[in-house]
Amino acid sequence: MSFRLENVSHRYDDGTLALNNISTSFAKGERTALLGTNGSGKTTLLLHLNGILEPTSGKIYFEDEPLNYKSDSLRRLRKRVGYVFQDPNDQLFAPTVKQDVAFGPLNLGLPADEVKALVNEALETVGMSEFADKPPHFLSLGQKKRVALAGVLAMNPEVIVMDEPTSNLDPRASSEILHLLLKLNKESGITLIMATHDVDMVPLFANKLCILSKSKIVVEGSPNEIFSDTEMIRSVDLRSPRVTHLFEILQREDKLSIEGPLPLTISQARKAIHNMLNSELNKKSDKR
């Protein structure tokens, strides 16, 4: 188990209760999406996983060891657990892209040659090698997000925690970031934990989904399980993926018979349509 949270609450200095008695866990190699409306507690929860925030009450364990908030322990934690902020401008500050990506490894005291190799590998992984000598502020938002991710990858993390990694990106840039994250998970076994309000992206990314509302986890499980409960989804001011909503209408209004759970993605919808067409063809064949 990567992380385990036991009865974690967090109250900000202004009195806002952002997390209310949350208990959950994130397994190694898992791809978890935290889904909820603005103010539901997603970002606050993520900030606890990297030690940026400390719980007001409760405990957080990383690989069965309680988090220690002393500087040396946090330094070791942040090497293993990388954090990618929603706004890359909060993360990028060096004069050039390669200097920014090198910041973390240099702070670990690694030799210059090793740092250079780590930076080159990280930039190649995110497809930003040709921009190594560019100032970050000249890059597009999507490019900045890639550089911020490269800065985390240069630390060789076991877990990457991300706050809205596809927010404000055009469809192509969002798709590229998503495919990159899935590749990192598949090929390197990196555990991914993401906060998002992009309902349609969740089934493409996550094999575990946590719904947050009013500072609590309402439900957690597979996307298929959770999105099948449309009443619960609406009760927390969310919606089903658009593909799923289309099939809900087809089932309710057009009386189409759909076997199994409703599709969440285009590929699942394609399979369901093929099944329905084959079923109709078989019925016509039996009548002959």
Side-chain angles (χ1 to χ4, degrees), residues 2 6 44 62 75-76 88 106 112 121 150 167 205-206 220-221 247 272-273 287:
S2 285
E6 293 183 355
T44 301
F62 179 59
R75 187 164 168 266
R76 289 192 295 271
L106 285 173
E121 183 180 356
S167 66
F205 167 82
E220 54 187 318
F247 275 78
I273 291 170
K287 287 180 181 179

Side-chain angles (χ1 to χ4, degrees), residues 1-6 8 10 19 24 26 44-83 158-159 161 193:
M1 198 66 63
S2 285
F3 280 101
R4 188 172 82 255
L5 285 70
E6 293 183 355
V8 170
H10 186 87
L19 295 179
T24 189
F26 304 108
T44 301
L45 195 159
L46 291 187
L47 290 169
H48 282 74
L49 302 181
N50 189 250
I52 297 171
L53 290 180
E54 185 174 354
T56 305
S57 61
K59 286 192 174 183
I60 300 176
Y61 297 84
F62 179 59
E63 295 191 341
D64 294 325
E65 292 291 330
L67 291 196
N68 186 328
Y69 294 90
K70 293 180 180 179
S71 59
D72 287 347
S73 295
L74 285 181
R75 187 164 168 266
R76 289 192 295 271
L77 174 71
R78 288 169 184 166
K79 180 185 183 304
R80 302 175 70 188
V81 182
Y83 193 103
E158 299 161 37
V159 181
V161 177
I193 304 170

Side-chain angles (χ1 to χ4, degrees), residues 67 110 154 175 200 242 281:
L67 291 196
L110 299 178
S175 179
D200 296 297
R242 295 194 187 280
L281 287 173

